Amino acid sequence: MKKQTAIFTLIIVTIIWGGGFSAVRMSLDLGVTVGLTNVIRGFIFTLMVFICFPKQILSMKWKHMKLGLLAGLFNAGSFIFQTIGAEHTTLSNNAFLTTTNVVMTPFLAWIMLGNKPKKKNFIAVAICMLGTAVLAGIFQNTISFNIGDLFTLLCALCYAISIVLLSVQASDSHFASSAFMMGLTHFLSGLVYFVVTEKAYVPQIDWKLAVLPLLYLGVASSFLAQTMQVAAQKYLTPSTASLVMMLESIWGSLFSIMFGFENFTLNLLIGGGLIVASLIVSEVSFPLKNKVVSKQAVASQKI
């Protein structure tokens, strides 16, 4: 897969995930609990990967299994934290705060892989914090940064770690191996949460209405999108992948407004814009300094 194809693949992934924010809210509003939502989508994800790639799964090597398991644990944690966050905050906050993983990724790559972040990454963190403050209403003396926003930030941290882990896939590994382990850990972690926290309680649910958002989460957001993500990330750096996936927040907010879950607000525009700006600053290269240096070199040669 070429780099351009991998980037285009991730753009499609962000559109699918953008719709996933609304699907999660629909699922929760219809009475499906956090744990049960993740059990169902994790089960569908795992089953479909196995059905589509049985040979690759059965011939999986231990080293590929370990990487997929580790990445899957953090990825599963991100989905659980994100679903909890969706219960207590707006979909736009849930979407935009999730994408702060892009700012976290360079620093985690430094800690985990030894890739030192650049000065612009520190500037990006400051801009991102300002955007978060605007979303929380701090400058209007109506602070609304709640437990849902905190869980969403934990989601972003776990997701950033999984992005870094997926960037070190071996050249001889098949993307289905990591996808299967991610689906399996998603299912098992959701099951543990459902049994321990929710006491395996299944509330009264209108399954005729709930089946559609749950199928979207299991088939589209989990199986299709995450399999595409794993396949594409093999050909991209963690920073490039996370930059492209920041588009998820934009699609998430657009779908949220489209489906009537919230209204368009100035805080959303400014706060979300600042967070997106921080992500761009974190990843885009600015060649101005190099141009200045090259001009000086040319001038010295003429002298």
Side-chain angles (χ1 to χ4, degrees), residues 126-196:
I127 299 174
C128 184
M129 291 177 65
L130 178 61
T132 303
V134 173
L135 276 179
I138 290 177
F139 300 107
Q140 296 178 330
N141 296 319
T142 56
I143 299 176
S144 61
F145 193 89
N146 54 40
I147 190 66
D149 297 322
L150 177 60
F151 274 114
T152 305
L153 286 174
L154 288 174
C155 155
L157 175 61
C158 289
Y159 190 57
I161 294 174
S162 72
I163 289 175
V164 175
L165 290 172
L166 287 174
S167 70
V168 296
Q169 296 177 73
S171 58
D172 63 336
S173 66
H174 192 276
F175 64 85
S177 301
S178 295
F180 178 79
M181 295 308 300
M182 289 172 69
L184 185 61
T185 51
H186 192 165
F187 166 70
L188 293 176
S189 62
L191 184 61
V192 170
Y193 186 91
F194 176 62
V195 173
V196 175

Side-chain angles (χ1 to χ4, degrees), residues 80-95:
I80 290 178
F81 287 138
Q82 187 182 61
T83 310
I84 297 173
E87 284 188 306
H88 303 286
T89 191
T90 65
L91 288 186
S92 291
N93 275 30
N94 196 234

Side-chain angles (χ1 to χ4, degrees), residues 4-72:
Q4 292 81 358
T5 304
I7 290 175
F8 179 75
T9 300
L10 285 187
I11 292 175
I12 301 300
V13 169
T14 64
I15 297 175
I16 297 173
W17 278 344
F21 288 100
S22 295
V24 167
R25 177 54 62 86
M26 291 177 187
S27 175
L28 295 173
D29 289 347
L30 290 169
V32 187
T33 62
V34 171
L36 191 57
T37 297
N38 284 281
V39 167
I40 294 173
R41 69 184 297 182
F43 176 77
I44 295 173
F45 182 10
T46 307
L47 180 63
M48 292 196 69
V49 173
F50 186 80
I51 291 174
C52 294
F53 306 100
K55 293 182 179 179
Q56 290 81 0
I57 302 304
L58 294 175
S59 62
M60 189 191 316
K61 296 180 180 179
W62 172 240
K63 62 178 181 179
H64 302 153
M65 185 182 297
K66 288 193 296 183
L67 177 62
L69 177 62
L70 189 58

Side-chain angles (χ1 to χ4, degrees), residues 18-26 29 85-97 134-136 144 146 149 152 248-272:
F21 288 100
S22 295
V24 167
R25 177 54 62 86
M26 291 177 187
D29 289 347
E87 284 188 306
H88 303 286
T89 191
T90 65
L91 288 186
S92 291
N93 275 30
N94 196 234
F96 276 114
L97 291 176
V134 173
L135 276 179
S144 61
N146 54 40
D149 297 322
T152 305
E248 173 189 5
S249 65
I250 298 175
W251 294 113
S253 291
L254 289 176
F255 283 124
S256 174
I257 295 170
M258 186 187 305
F259 288 122
F261 286 111
E262 58 187 295
N263 298 319
F264 182 83
T265 65
L266 186 60
N267 273 14
L268 170 60
L269 177 63
I270 297 175

Side-chain angles (χ1 to χ4, degrees), residues 168-239:
V168 296
Q169 296 177 73
S171 58
D172 63 336
S173 66
H174 192 276
F175 64 85
S177 301
S178 295
F180 178 79
M181 295 308 300
M182 289 172 69
L184 185 61
T185 51
H186 192 165
F187 166 70
L188 293 176
S189 62
L191 184 61
V192 170
Y193 186 91
F194 176 62
V195 173
V196 175
T197 305
E198 299 173 352
K199 309 301 181 183
Y201 170 70
V202 179
Q204 293 294 326
I205 301 170
D206 188 343
W207 290 105
K208 291 182 179 179
L209 295 177
V211 67
L212 186 59
L214 288 173
L215 281 176
Y216 183 91
L217 290 171
V219 177
S221 287
S222 292
F223 168 65
L224 182 60
Q226 285 202 262
T227 302
M228 291 169 65
Q229 176 207 356
V230 175
Q233 262 205 252
K234 191 174 181 179
Y235 304 92
L236 299 171
T237 64
S239 296

